């Protein structure tokens, strides 16, 4: 019972961390980047977090041997952390929080995992035989090669290692949106419609929704009050 309780607490803590890959770029030359999103309302310190990589087929034991340790870094609340190859084009360099050859030295047929205390939280690709050129995503052949993959805004957590379900078979059931090669348009930001975000409370006592959740909604200049009663020509409601 004690063992189960400890494991349960640890699993709950892992779920509370809830980081996941929000973007993957396997572009021309060394234009390679990974984006990790923190959907929580608090910053997450990355002690215990690692990136694992399987090169050209193999298992996650090999992946762990190629680990990049992310300790000593922090992802602020509802923000992203971007890792780039050190030789990425200079025009994209300012988007990177961490650069290095070992950080993002992957090709389309290399599987990548985001792990916490050796538990796989999210993956792109999978262990096993080398897929050849790359993995299919959303019905797009070899989409992990020479493409940008952006996580759908409806996804709120990692796939736990289930790449098949995550990749999907078409644009409707995939967790990813497949973009063209060297598409850096969205790198550095991520939109997660269903993730936890800071709640906005209206603090304008003249607004119709004062002290309620949401942006303030104030009467238009031609309105008399929040019920929609408008002024007539004599300025009378």
């Amino acid at each position: 019972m004690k063992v189960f309780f400890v494991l349960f607490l640890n699993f709950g803590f892992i779920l509370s961390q809830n980081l996941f890959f929000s973007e993957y770029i396997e572009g021309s030359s060394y234009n390679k980047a990974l984006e990790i999103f923190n959907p929580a309302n608090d910053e997450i310190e990355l002690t215990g977090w690692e990136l694992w990589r399987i090169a050209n087929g193999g298992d996650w034991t090999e992946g762990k041997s190629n680990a990049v340790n992310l300790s000593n870094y922090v992802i602020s609340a509802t923000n992203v952390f971007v890792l780039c190859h050190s030789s990425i084009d200079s025009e994209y360099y300012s988007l990177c929080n961490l650069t290095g050859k070992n950080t993002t030295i992957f090709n389309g047929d290399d599987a990548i995992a985001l792990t916490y205390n050796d538990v796989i939280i999210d993956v792109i690709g999978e262990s096993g035989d080398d897929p050849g050129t790359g993995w299919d995503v959303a019905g797009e052949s070899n989409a992990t090669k020479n493409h940008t993959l952006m996580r759908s805004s409806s996804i709120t957590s990692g796939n736990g290692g289930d790449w098949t379900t995550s990749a999907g078979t078409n644009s409707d059931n995939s967790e990813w949106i497949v973009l063209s090669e060297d598409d850096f348009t969205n790198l550095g930001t991520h939109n997660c419609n269903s993730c936890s975000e800071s709640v906005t409370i209206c603090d304008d006592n003249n607004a119709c929704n004062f002290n309620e959740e949401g942006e303030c909604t104030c009467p238009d200049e031609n309105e008399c009050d929040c019920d929609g009663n408008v002024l007539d020509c004599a300025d009378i409601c």
Side-chain angles (χ1 to χ4, degrees), residues 14-48:
I14 289 173
L15 287 180
S16 73
Q17 302 294 284
N18 210 28
L19 302 179
F20 59 90
F21 290 123
S22 48
E23 192 156 346
Y24 161 99
I25 297 178
E26 207 288 313
S28 60
S29 187
Y30 296 113
N31 288 333
K32 301 173 189 292
L34 293 169
E35 182 184 88
I36 301 171
F37 180 64
N38 171 17
N41 288 324
D42 300 303
E43 69 176 27
I44 293 180
E45 200 274 320
L46 298 182
T47 297

Side-chain angles (χ1 to χ4, degrees), residues 118-200:
D118 293 345
V119 176
I120 292 176
I121 305 300
D122 202 13
V123 295
I124 299 170
E126 58 190 347
S127 60
D129 295 336
D130 187 338
T133 302
W135 284 275
D136 298 350
V137 182
E140 180 84 25
S141 298
N142 301 320
T144 55
K145 177 71 174 178
N146 297 335
H147 286 92
T148 290
L149 304 180
M150 184 174 67
R151 208 66 173 267
S152 169
S153 61
S154 64
I155 302 304
T156 59
S157 62
N159 53 40
D162 183 0
W163 171 246
T164 299
T165 300
S166 181
T169 57
N170 56 58
S171 59
D172 293 327
N173 62 25
S174 178
E175 294 184 353
W176 300 88
I177 299 168
V178 181
L179 303 174
S180 60
E181 184 179 25
D182 290 334
D183 189 331
F184 282 77
T185 306
N186 301 288
L187 190 67
T189 61
H190 181 64
N191 179 31
C192 183
N193 293 335
S194 304
C195 294
S196 299
E197 296 181 354
S198 299
V199 176
T200 300

